[in-house]
Amino acid sequence: MNTVKSAEKQSIEAVVIGASAGGVQALLTLFSGLPADFRLPIVVVLHLPEDRDSKLAEIFQHRLPIPVREAADKERIAPGTLYFAGPGYHLSVERDRTFSLSGEEPVHYSRPSIDVLMESAADAYGARLAGILLTGANIDGAAGLAKIGEQGGLTVVQDPAQAQARTMPEAAIRKRQPHLILTLDGIRSLLLQLDTSSCPTPTPPPNS
């Protein structure tokens, strides 16, 4: 497992995060203290009931100084913005760095699926992507985080001993050893370090 110090050297253009059971509180803790000039886009899938409207963007916008919104189909990903996947649709990142929504079958009983987001973002950003998997009660996200690592991206898992539900972080660790296993405080510090060392101008998307 690499150190936070070595991760600082990796130039990141986007962050994707997955969480399930216990995820709201974990994300509130993780994002507390993000500065208004935070530059990296962050895209989050938090497992949600399909039959209810999501209030996540509204809840987090009241608490954070950066723009927060629910990701929309064909929307171009903007820097310094926190995006949440809405309920009932898978959220993907296209190679031109726009969002795509789809109604395909649930993955690991989940729609939106963390795997769908992370695997598509890995194709779009390659080694300039950071993937973070937090607390959760199923294995969604383990394969997606592994793909980010295979593409050269940075992979981070919440310490299972701290997670409200250990299944998701433990599944990710079993699937492919992540670069870092950190507490929420450690992940927050890492986000700030990655933002400081991020590329001000995104590189072109990888070729198909």
Side-chain angles (χ1 to χ4, degrees):
M1 184 173 58
N2 294 341
T3 64
V4 174
K5 189 73 175 175
S6 64
E8 291 178 35
K9 300 175 183 177
Q10 189 153 357
S11 188
I12 297 298
E13 291 178 0
V15 179
V16 289
I17 299 176
S20 186
V24 172
Q25 188 55 53
L27 289 166
L28 286 170
T29 300
L30 178 60
F31 294 146
S32 64
L34 281 186
D37 61 352
F38 189 84
R39 297 184 297 171
L40 290 172
I42 303 175
V43 187
V44 177
V45 165
L46 178 64
H47 290 163
L48 298 167
E50 289 195 19
D51 57 350
R52 296 184 211 164
D53 290 337
S54 172
K55 302 291 185 186
L56 288 173
E58 180 180 340
I59 291 168
F60 280 79
Q61 186 64 89
H62 284 313
R63 291 165 169 78
L64 299 179
I66 63 173
V68 183
R69 54 180 176 261
E70 189 170 301
D73 193 40
K74 297 182 174 34
E75 179 178 8
R76 185 166 296 280
I77 297 174
T81 303
L82 171 60
Y83 297 95
F84 283 98
Y89 294 92
H90 291 306
L91 177 65
S92 298
V93 177
E94 300 296 330
R95 290 181 183 270
D96 64 356
R97 315 288 172 84
T98 61
F99 290 123
S100 175
L101 303 182
S102 72
E104 296 172 4
E105 289 299 309
V107 177
H108 300 302
Y109 309 101
S110 303
R111 190 174 57 197
S113 161
I114 301 166
D115 278 340
V116 170
L117 170 65
M118 288 189 169
E119 289 173 3
S120 64
D123 286 335
Y125 286 94
R128 296 192 181 276
L129 179 70
I132 300 171
L133 200 60
L134 305 178
T135 175
N138 75 8
I139 65 171
D140 188 25
L145 196 70
K147 181 166 183 179
I148 292 173
E150 291 162 5
Q151 298 280 73
L154 177 66
T155 56
V156 184
V157 172
Q158 182 183 4
D159 185 345
Q162 184 198 48
Q164 180 176 319
R166 302 171 60 109
T167 304
M168 190 174 287
E170 287 180 340
I173 293 167
R174 286 195 305 270
K175 181 75 173 176
R176 188 180 196 274
Q177 182 67 27
H179 294 103
L180 297 166
I181 300 172
L182 299 171
T183 64
L184 293 174
D185 286 345
I187 298 172
R188 185 197 307 118
S189 296
L190 177 65
L191 284 177
L192 296 176
Q193 291 162 1
L194 292 176
D195 187 56
T196 301
S197 61
S198 64
C199 292
T201 303
T203 59
N207 292 329
S208 302

